[in-house]
Amino acid sequence: MRRLSTPFLRNLLNFCVIKQQRISIHTTMATSDKSRIAVCQMTSVADKATNLSVVSQLVKDASKEDVQMMFFPEACDFICDNIKDTLKSAEPLLTGETVKAYRQLAKDYNVWLSMGGLHEKNEEDPSKLFNTHVIISNKGEIVQTYRKLHLFDVEIPEKKIRLKESDFCNPGSHIVTPVESPVGNIGLGICYDLRFPELSTSLSILNAQILTYPSAFTYTTGEAHWHVLLRSRAIENQCYVIAAAQVGNHNAKRRSYGHAVCIDPWGSVLVDCGEASPMYMVAELVPARLGDVRRNMPVFQHRRPQVYSLYTLSLRKDLLPEHSESQEDVATTADTKCPSEGRIFGHVRIPESCVFYTSELTYAFVNLRCVTPGHVLVAPIRLAERNKDLTAEEANDFYRTIRLVQMLMERVHQTESCTVTIQDGPDAGQTVRHLHCHIMPRKRGDFIQNDLIYLELAKHDQFSSSHPGKPPRSLTEMETEAAMLRQELMNIPINPNI
């Protein structure tokens, strides 16, 4: 008889013999407005069926305690000891059996799931995968996905240490706006992202109430930094922090720190799973606690956006097309670009609802992808490709409109500066063969180096998986902005010099 000494068998033994610990932590806030979450800890191995069995049992047990959402660690699907097996075991999210099983669990047990850091197969580049955080609703729907931005690359030759996630993984391209859930607005990160406070700060400014970092921290770094970093992210952003964790020996090469935690906005640790596996702990999140902390220590009001800015964020709100079962998201974007009716703009049409000003020969409209807030466009009504193609009358009207719109945007965005630029011809960066002027309100510090705005402008409409730029806005967002600008135009005094 074989001894139960391998990590694989020890994991099975722990699961079958050890009763999962269930600890509910109640905060001192006297209110009925609470939500319950379970933060989970496990020891993933190379066998996906074994890991799925662990996840399934944890979901089954925690659902009996009326939790609304469960948080699982990075690599809850599997952990292999070599790149070849890791790439071979990766699955696409929509058609892969592992995510299908997670979705069914969520539906069967009526609980939302945060499945952190799954190995997503990269259909375009089989030599690399994505480390993808998936949020699943209690109806079994994929609500949102986030691809890990910061890859853990450490190489110390003298210690024979080489841990380079970039050897087999591609980074994501966007911060994902906080996800609305029954337990609050959740900002998504994964493991090593924890070390980059600009990500968590961006998410908190975007109204995250919870920051989550599913992780597989190494034992050495976890022992030194895990609790310090997590408590720091909670304190500086005044958010709950939930960090599910891998723990123990996955194979002969890899050991994780554990200590899955939930931390409140004051930095107090509500639950800590220690080094037991598999297990979960239950914590109660109290929205009023957020309000109390933020009111008593109003750091959001004390920020200095005139000194430093977050305008250059690359954000994504909607699901990536390859993660969406419905074609509605794709159709909406296509319809926004090319409506059947509207004003001709090069090879596309602009909906009338997105136009906020029209003169005799020129019109101004809101932008599908904005380099800065308030980035709008002005174009001649006639399809003139280059500046030299305008008649004298059109040129006069075009420039008068540019001046008026610049005045409007500076008024609306409370600034005294704009970048006003024309990319006149393909070698100057023109991608739409219709003359147009970009008007971009500017504030001090919105770009680290002022001229970087032109780099952003050059790529802002080149949005694809291979060349990520600014993600497109929804038609509703654009129509709302255009309606506001039309109203604001009525408040601008008539200037005979324009």
Side-chain angles (χ1 to χ4, degrees):
M1 182 176 179
R2 295 179 62 187
R3 295 177 61 192
L4 300 179
S5 58
T6 66
F8 173 86
L9 291 176
R10 281 203 304 273
N11 193 45
L12 276 178
L13 181 62
N14 284 338
F15 184 79
C16 296
V17 176
I18 297 176
K19 180 180 179 64
Q20 285 75 29
Q21 300 181 43
R22 302 173 178 90
I23 302 177
S24 296
I25 301 296
H26 297 264
T27 65
T28 57
M29 183 66 61
T31 175
S32 59
D33 189 11
K34 301 177 182 178
S35 55
R36 290 168 63 83
I37 65 94
V39 59
C40 301
Q41 187 159 282
M42 61 189 290
T43 309
S44 290
V45 293
D47 185 87
K48 289 192 279 189
T50 298
N51 302 323
L52 179 57
S53 179
V54 172
V55 169
S56 299
Q57 190 64 47
L58 289 170
V59 172
K60 179 180 179 181
D61 290 346
S63 65
K64 297 174 183 176
E65 299 199 42
D66 298 322
V67 299
Q68 295 158 283
M69 189 162 186
M70 297 184 65
F71 294 79
F72 283 88
E74 181 183 31
C76 54
D77 51 354
F78 64 86
I79 291 179
C80 298
D81 64 359
N82 64 82
I83 293 176
K84 180 180 178 181
D85 288 344
T86 297
L87 292 171
K88 182 179 178 181
S89 299
E91 301 176 7
L93 292 191
L94 281 183
T95 58
E97 294 302 317
T98 300
V99 173
K100 284 183 181 179
Y102 294 156
R103 295 173 68 181
Q104 191 62 47
L105 281 171
K107 188 175 181 180
D108 290 345
Y109 292 99
N110 190 34
V111 63
W112 281 55
L113 298 177
S114 162
M115 310 307 296
L118 304 182
H119 298 83
E120 180 193 354
K121 184 177 182 180
N122 186 343
E123 304 282 8
E124 297 182 0
D125 181 6
S127 68
K128 298 287 182 74
L129 52 78
F130 292 106
N131 190 341
T132 305
H133 188 163
V134 183
I135 301 295
I136 302 171
S137 75
N138 61 336
K139 296 180 180 179
E141 299 169 343
I142 296 177
V143 175
Q144 188 56 279
T145 59
Y146 161 79
R147 288 170 172 170
K148 188 176 183 181
L149 283 176
H150 305 97
L151 302 184
F152 184 58
D153 279 8
V154 174
E155 188 169 14
I156 310 175
E158 61 271 21
K159 294 185 178 181
K160 297 182 179 180
I161 294 176
R162 179 186 169 86
L163 294 170
K164 300 200 73 171
E165 197 172 7
S166 62
D167 285 345
F168 60 92
C169 189
N170 281 324
S173 301
H174 303 100
I175 296 171
V176 173
T177 57
V179 179
E180 293 183 12
S181 81
V183 301
N185 296 335
I186 304 173
L188 304 180
I190 301 173
C191 199
Y192 191 51
D193 287 330
L194 173 60
R195 293 184 180 273
F196 300 87
E198 56 267 40
L199 172 59
S200 58
T201 300
S202 302
L203 291 168
S204 67
I205 288 175
L206 293 167
N207 199 32
Q209 297 166 309
I210 300 164
L211 301 173
T212 184
Y213 297 99
S215 298
F217 247 60
T218 67
Y219 194 88
T220 300
T221 56
E223 191 174 38
H225 301 149
W226 176 250
H227 289 92
V228 175
L229 287 169
L230 288 167
R231 293 187 65 205
S232 296
R233 298 296 85 84
I235 293 167
E236 68 196 8
N237 296 293
Q238 299 177 325
C239 290
Y240 282 96
V241 169
I242 301 172
Q246 292 285 347
V247 66
N249 296 304
H250 308 283
N251 50 56
K253 299 179 180 179
R254 186 165 176 180
R255 180 187 180 191
S256 293
Y257 180 64
H259 292 273
V261 295
C262 178
I263 300 170
D264 82 357
W266 188 247
S268 301
V269 177
L270 301 182
V271 296
D272 187 327
C273 292
E275 296 186 21
S277 173
M279 72 170 299
Y280 68 86
M281 287 187 172
V282 176
E284 289 187 345
L285 310 186
V286 183
R289 178 66 169 154
L290 284 167
D292 284 348
V293 171
R294 293 178 179 183
R295 181 172 55 254
N296 295 333
M297 186 71 72
V299 295
F300 286 86
Q301 298 175 31
H302 297 159
R303 284 197 168 107
R304 298 287 304 282
Q306 70 272 35
V307 176
Y308 50 82
S309 170
L310 295 171
Y311 288 164
T312 58
L313 295 179
S314 182
L315 300 175
R316 175 169 63 82
K317 181 178 180 181
D318 299 323
L319 274 173
L320 292 169
E322 58 266 41
H323 295 163
S324 175
E325 290 181 307
S326 169
Q327 294 302 308
E328 292 179 1
D329 294 335
V330 179
T332 299
T333 300
D335 289 345
T336 302
K337 294 179 184 176
C338 305
S340 58
E341 297 180 358
R343 294 189 178 273
I344 295 174
F345 179 55
H347 58 284
V348 299
R349 288 181 180 269
I350 305 300
E352 284 291 344
S353 57
C354 294
V355 175
F356 61 87
Y357 175 76
T358 305
S359 67
E360 183 181 356
L361 301 172
T362 311
Y363 67 106
F365 54 100
V366 297
N367 205 350
L368 182 65
R369 299 182 178 92
C370 298
V371 172
T372 67
H375 177 181
V376 296
L377 301 174
V378 175
I381 292 174
R382 183 174 66 87
L383 207 171
E385 184 174 339
R386 298 285 307 280
N387 199 21
K388 65 182 181 181
D389 297 329
L390 295 179
T391 65
E393 187 179 9
E394 285 175 325
N396 288 334
D397 191 78
F398 182 56
Y399 193 60
R400 280 198 301 269
T401 301
I402 290 170
R403 293 179 66 193
L404 175 64
V405 171
Q406 179 179 351
M407 182 187 303
L408 169 67
M409 302 316 294
E410 289 183 1
R411 176 189 178 103
V412 168
H413 290 273
Q414 299 181 349
T415 181
E416 297 180 353
S417 301
C418 275
T419 292
V420 180
T421 185
I422 296 173
Q423 295 164 295
D424 196 21
D427 294 336
Q430 184 183 27
T431 56
V432 177
R433 297 178 67 177
H434 188 151
L435 177 67
H436 57 282
C437 179
H438 298 265
I439 298 176
M440 296 168 281
R442 301 295 303 277
K443 294 184 178 181
R444 183 185 298 274
D446 54 6
F447 286 84
I448 296 173
Q449 295 180 8
N450 198 51
D451 284 352
L452 286 178
I453 192 170
Y454 297 108
L455 177 61
E456 285 296 312
L457 182 63
K459 67 181 184 180
H460 87 290
D461 58 353
Q462 302 297 314
F463 184 76
S464 67
S465 58
S466 59
H467 191 151
K470 295 291 180 183
R473 298 195 295 166
S474 69
L475 180 58
T476 301
E477 287 178 282
M478 296 167 65
E479 288 176 330
T480 300
E481 182 186 15
M484 179 272 291
L485 293 175
R486 284 193 291 271
Q487 184 64 37
E488 287 294 330
L489 265 173
M490 298 173 63
N491 299 325
I492 291 183
I494 297 176
N495 185 343
N497 296 320
I498 292 181

